[in-house]
Amino acid sequence: ANRGVKDVLIVCCDGLTGLPEAIEATWASATVQTCVVHLIRASMRFVNYKDRKKVAASLKPIYTAANAKAARTEFEAFRDGPWGKAHPHTVATWDSAWERFIPFLAFPPDLRRVIYTTNSIESLNYQLRKIIKNRGHFPNDEAVTKLLWLAICNIEDKRARQRAKERGKP
C-alpha cells in the first residue's frame, strides 16, 4: 500500500503468522489464501520419508476438488482413512488452515494454476536477488532498473521456451 497498490483481489501467502491479518487490515476486500504447495509441505513435515509419495497422492483429491464442499468430503475421507489416522499432524495442519485454503476453489481450474502457489514469485525474486548481489554497486537507480528489466526479459524467455517445450512445440 505504501508503494501505491490501491486494490488487491487475491493474495496467496505461505502461512507466515500475522501476514493474512495484515493483508486484510490493509485491503479489506482482498481474499487471502494459503499457498497450497506450502500447505502440503507443512503437512508432510512429520510424515515418514517412505510414505510421503503415498500420503501426497492421498491429499491430491482435496486440492483438486471441484469446489469447497467436494474438497471437504475428500478431506474427511483422508482424515478417516489409513493415512489420516497414521498421520494426525497432517490432518491437524489441513484442518487449521482450512479457511485460508479453500478460497481458490471458487475460481475456474485454469485460474487456479496461477493462484495456488507463491513458488513462481519466490523463484523470480530469488533470481533477481542473485543478479543484484553478483553485481554489487550501481552508479544510479537507472542502472539497477535496466539490469532488472533485462533479467526479467531473460527469465521470461527461458520460461516461455520451457512452456513451449512442455506443450510439444519447437
Side-chain angles (χ1 to χ4, degrees), residues 74-111:
E74 293 293 343
F75 171 69
E76 289 168 357
F78 175 84
R79 180 192 65 204
D80 298 336
W83 294 118
K85 290 179 180 177
H87 302 287
H89 172 77
T90 300
V91 172
T93 300
W94 279 83
D95 199 34
S96 66
W98 192 257
E99 289 305 314
R100 297 279 188 216
F101 156 69
I102 59 171
F104 88 111
L105 293 173
F107 293 94
D110 288 342
L111 190 54

Side-chain angles (χ1 to χ4, degrees), residues 47-84:
V47 174
N48 188 326
Y49 188 75
K50 68 181 177 74
D51 293 337
R52 285 189 179 192
K53 285 186 180 179
K54 292 175 186 172
V55 173
S58 296
L59 290 171
K60 189 172 183 176
I62 300 170
Y63 61 87
T64 58
N67 55 43
K69 185 178 179 182
R72 190 68 193 186
T73 302
E74 293 293 343
F75 171 69
E76 289 168 357
F78 175 84
R79 180 192 65 204
D80 298 336
W83 294 118

Side-chain angles (χ1 to χ4, degrees), residues 115-132:
I115 61 173
Y116 83 104
T117 184
T118 60
N119 284 356
S120 60
I121 296 165
E122 291 173 2
S123 173
L124 176 65
N125 288 338
Y126 170 78
Q127 292 176 57
L128 293 177
R129 277 193 306 272
K130 186 176 175 184
I131 289 165
I132 296 277

